[in-house]
Amino acid sequence: MKDQIFKERGITVIEKNLSIHEVINAYHEDRLLEMFGGSTSNFIQPIRLLAYKDESLEMGEGLHSKLLFTRYVRDLLYSIKSGSNKHPWITDLKM
């Protein structure tokens, strides 16, 4: 999926563990543009507020934030899950 994101959007995806302090610093330096999370029981959801100790990081412009990358990843994963985007993660079952 990293290759597809780079090909379609020109964004290099780097997978690494981040400390909460790196996230907070990126926020204060205006380098943190969007946050999202997901799980098997809850599809991709934007994170609007992150609270840690005495820090509250509010993302975007409230409900009017465009969340362009979050929507792109959500739509890409949904297309894989639904089968409209043929991907090696999905195996068709013939019945």
Side-chain angles (χ1 to χ4, degrees):
M1 196 162 114
K2 291 192 295 187
D3 294 336
Q4 185 172 355
I5 291 171
F6 181 75
K7 184 174 138 186
E8 292 180 1
R9 295 292 175 135
I11 297 171
T12 301
V13 175
I14 300 169
E15 295 179 66
K16 70 177 212 168
N17 293 325
L18 294 172
S19 72
I20 188 64
H21 305 291
E22 289 176 283
V23 173
I24 291 169
N25 287 340
Y27 176 83
H28 289 300
E29 294 169 1
D30 292 326
R31 296 183 295 117
L32 184 61
L33 305 177
E34 295 180 45
M35 292 188 293
F36 61 87
S39 68
T40 53
S41 63
N42 190 10
F43 208 56
I44 301 294
Q45 295 292 319
I47 297 172
R48 301 272 187 201
L49 175 69
L50 177 67
Y52 177 75
K53 294 190 177 180
D54 61 342
E55 293 274 355
S56 288
L57 314 182
E58 292 188 55
M59 299 304 302
E61 301 166 2
L63 295 176
H64 303 292
S65 177
K66 293 184 180 176
L67 299 168
L68 297 176
F69 192 69
T70 301
R71 288 184 181 155
Y72 167 73
V73 171
R74 181 193 62 209
D75 293 347
L76 179 59
L77 288 174
Y78 186 79
S79 72
I80 293 169
K81 182 177 98 170
S82 68
S84 61
N85 180 350
K86 297 298 180 199
H87 196 277
W89 292 346
I90 305 296
T91 302
D92 290 332
L93 297 177
K94 308 257 190 265
M95 299 188 99

